[in-house]
Amino acid sequence: MTAREAEAERDELRTKLDAFLRADAERIAAEFLAVPADLFDVAGATLADVLDDDGRVSADKIKELADAAVKERPGLAAPGMTPGLFGAYGPSLHGAQGATGAFAKPAPSWATALRG
């Protein structure tokens, strides 16, 4: 293998690793943002911004970045999540806004309908 081939292989592997890391970051960001890619595309985060000192995706850093993005642009929040209620995010308390948790009305089901 020549030096150029080794460099090309390294670059290809780096691109693949970056794609995996970004996908993992977006998976975590989906808890907070309606469109997880907005963490990078709208909020302007870079991959380096979401990695810890060991090069792993940091859920804490993603939450901080998502919180900052939603504070600036509340429409970025994931459905059913309202910034500022329980820490940075919490379930919406308004039924029309997709309430979840203890405040949510249960969704209608066939079992409920058949029971009358």
Side-chain angles (χ1 to χ4, degrees), residues 1-83:
M1 177 179 287
T2 67
R4 279 191 186 184
E5 290 171 336
E7 288 174 0
E9 184 176 346
R10 178 206 60 206
D11 293 345
E12 180 182 345
L13 291 172
R14 182 75 227 180
T15 299
K16 287 180 180 180
L17 177 61
D18 288 350
F20 282 118
L21 291 170
R22 181 177 167 130
D24 194 31
E26 288 182 7
R27 177 188 59 79
I28 296 167
E31 295 179 41
F32 313 109
L33 300 174
V35 179
D38 284 350
L39 181 69
F40 299 102
D41 301 338
V42 177
T46 64
L47 196 52
D49 293 333
V50 302
L51 300 179
D52 64 15
D53 294 335
D54 295 324
R56 287 178 272 199
V57 174
S58 168
D60 292 336
K61 288 186 176 189
I62 291 170
K63 188 174 187 314
E64 288 175 21
L65 291 165
D67 181 38
V70 170
K71 281 182 182 175
E72 189 173 313
R73 297 180 70 183
L76 296 177
M81 299 302 283
T82 303

